Amino acid sequence: MLISIVAPCYNEEDVIARFHDAAQKIAEELLPLGHDMEFVYVDDGSGDRTLGELQRLAELDARVRYVSFSRNFGKEAALLAGLRHASGDAVIVMDADLQHPPELIHRMVELHAQGHDQVIAKRTRTGDRFTRTVTARLYYRLINRLVDVELVDGVGDFRLLSRRVVDAILDLTEYNRFSKGLFAWVGFPSTTFEYDNATRAHGSSSWNFRSLLNYGLDGLLSFNNRPLRAALHLGMALLLCTGLYTAWIVGAALINGVETPGYVTIITAVTAAAAMQMIMLGIIGEYTGRIYYEVKGRPHFLVKATNVKRTQDQAPCGSQATKDLIT
Ligand code: UDP
Ligand code: MG
C-alpha cells in the first residue's frame, strides 16, 4: 500500500526538516510491513525559507513532492492542493508543526487495515488556555444544533483517508471550504481515537481571536441556510411583539388620552430593531458573498513552483489530454 503524507506548511522553515525526519523514521518502520510512503508538502506562500527547505528535502529524498503557492491562500486551499497531488491508496493529513505526533501513523494504518475509511485522531485539550477550552465547548454545542453534519470538539484535520474518501472530497469543488465539515459530510466508515495535545514545536500559531471567530462563522454558514431561516423566525417573532405592543399603546391612548413620556421605550425599541435588522442583513449578505465567490469560479490556489508533474485532471482546457478525452 502506498501511503501519502499531506502537510500544509506556512512559515515552517524551522520545523519542516524535523517533521520530515520524524515522518521518514515512520516510513522506514512501515516498509517491512509492505507499506511505501510519499510526502506531499504544500508551501502556502510562506514568507520565510520554507520553499528552499522543501526543495532541499526533495533533492535528498525522491519521495518528497512539493507544491508552492504564489501567495498565502490559507490552510484549506493548501489541504486541497495536497489531496490533489497525493497518489497514495491512503492519505494522512497532518500539520507540519509537529503538533500532530507522527508516531500515531502506525495506529492509523492499523485501524485502516481493519476496514475504516477514515481514521480520525481526536486531541484532548490538555495545555490549552481555559478560555479557549470553554469557548470551544460552547461553540460545538451551538454548531451541532445548527449544521447537518456532526462536528466534534478536538477533531481536526489530522486523519487518515482512504482513496475513495479522498476522491469524494476532491469531487466537492466549492470555493468556501470548511474541511472539518467536508470530511464529516462525505461519511464512509470512520473511527476515532484520542491523543494528548502537544504544544507547537516552534514559532506561534497563526490563529488569533478574530480568525477563530471567522472560522467559527464559516462553519455555521457553510452547511445550510438555517441561519437565514432563524432570521426569518426572529423577524416574525419581533413583528408579533411589535403588533401587541402597538395595540397596547393605542388602546391606552384611546382610554387615557396621549401621554408624552416614553422616550426610553422608543429609543430601546428603535435601537433593538435596528440591531436585529443589521444582523439579518449581515446573514443574508454572508450567503450572497458566498454565492459571489462560487459564481466567479476562480481556482482555489495558484502554483508558483512544484516538482510534481501536471496530472491529467489539471491540464488546461484545450490541451492534448482534454482533446483526447473529448474525441
Ligand atoms: N497553515 C497553512 N496556511 C495558513 C496557516 C497555517 O498552511 O495560512 C498550516 C501550518 O503551517 C500548520 C497548519 O496549517 O502546518 C496548522 O497551523 P497552525 O499551527 O498555525 O494552527 P493550529 O495548530 O494552532 O490550529
Ligand atoms: Mg499548530
Side-chain angles (χ1 to χ4, degrees):
M1 194 171 79
L2 177 65
I3 302 169
S4 308
I5 302 283
V6 165
C9 323
Y10 179 55
N11 292 343
E12 304 285 9
E13 61 176 5
D14 298 317
V15 255
I16 191 65
R18 264 159 65 201
F19 174 86
H20 186 66
D21 279 349
Q24 213 176 13
K25 224 178 86 208
I26 308 289
E28 265 158 39
E29 291 163 9
L30 282 173
L31 206 54
L33 302 173
H35 301 307
D36 269 332
M37 216 180 242
E38 65 165 9
F39 307 92
V40 184
Y41 296 123
V42 183
D43 164 37
D44 186 8
S46 301
D48 63 359
R49 285 200 67 280
T50 301
L51 174 59
E53 279 291 302
L54 291 181
Q55 284 166 333
R56 191 178 64 83
L57 290 176
E59 265 169 35
L60 294 173
D61 186 344
R63 297 167 301 178
V64 172
R65 302 165 159 218
Y66 66 84
V67 180
S68 177
F69 288 175
S70 59
R71 64 167 172 85
N72 181 243
F73 281 91
K75 188 182 171 187
E76 299 289 346
L79 270 183
L80 177 69
L83 291 180
R84 274 196 196 157
H85 290 91
S87 55
D89 306 301
V91 175
I92 296 174
V93 178
M94 57 198 299
D95 286 0
D97 58 8
L98 288 170
Q99 271 187 304
H100 295 162
E103 307 83 68
L104 296 179
I105 292 175
H106 289 297
R107 184 89 181 276
M108 290 180 148
V109 174
E110 250 166 52
L111 287 167
H112 174 57
Q114 291 172 16
H116 301 286
D117 280 275
Q118 291 201 47
V119 182
I120 305 158
K122 175 175 186 267
R123 77 183 185 103
T124 57
R125 287 207 169 263
T126 39
D128 259 14
R129 252 178 301 141
F130 177 70
T131 43
R132 181 146 173 199
T133 314
V134 172
T135 27
R137 258 205 208 124
L138 286 174
Y139 173 68
Y140 280 100
R141 195 167 289 177
L142 171 76
I143 196 169
N144 278 317
R145 280 171 166 250
L146 293 173
V147 302
D148 312 319
V149 293
E150 159 119 42
L151 301 176
V152 185
D153 186 13
V155 163
D157 304 323
F158 187 21
R159 56 180 79 208
L160 180 149
L161 310 169
S162 68
R163 177 43 53 187
R164 56 180 182 169
V165 171
V166 174
D167 289 342
I169 296 276
L170 290 178
D171 275 342
L172 307 178
T173 52
E174 62 217 69
Y175 189 80
N176 296 286
R177 300 183 79 78
F178 185 70
S179 285
K180 257 188 204 198
L182 296 181
F183 289 142
W185 187 88
V186 297
F188 290 107
S190 307
T191 182
T192 306
F193 69 93
E194 281 202 4
Y195 70 98
D196 266 337
N197 183 30
T199 43
R200 224 171 189 288
H202 217 283
S204 60
S205 167
S206 46
W207 292 99
N208 52 32
F209 176 72
R210 200 172 139 186
S211 56
L212 276 176
L213 179 71
N214 284 330
Y215 185 69
L217 287 175
D218 274 343
L220 272 179
L221 299 170
S222 309
F223 272 87
N224 55 31
N225 59 0
R226 261 181 238 181
L228 281 177
R229 185 45 65 85
L232 197 62
H233 286 170
L234 203 64
M236 290 192 307
L238 216 62
L239 190 68
L240 185 70
C241 293
T242 319
L244 291 176
Y245 188 56
T246 314
W248 163 263
I249 304 181
V250 173
L254 285 178
I255 296 165
N256 306 328
V258 178
E259 287 174 29
T260 22
Y263 177 74
V264 178
T265 331
I266 290 174
I267 289 296
T268 320
V270 167
T271 44
M276 220 59 99
Q277 284 184 357
M278 286 313 267
I279 291 178
M280 289 179 208
L281 257 182
I283 294 174
I284 298 170
E286 272 293 331
Y287 283 101
T288 322
R290 269 147 211 275
I291 297 169
Y292 171 71
Y293 278 108
E294 296 295 341
V295 166
K296 281 208 269 195
R298 289 194 177 163
H300 295 84
F301 53 83
L302 294 174
V303 175
K304 171 177 74 180
T306 176
N307 66 346
V308 188
K309 279 197 214 89
R310 246 173 205 284
T311 53
Q312 191 157 319
D313 59 343
Q314 288 174 294
C317 291
S319 73
Q320 198 50 48
T322 327
K323 278 181 197 146
D324 288 349
L325 273 177
I326 295 165
T327 49

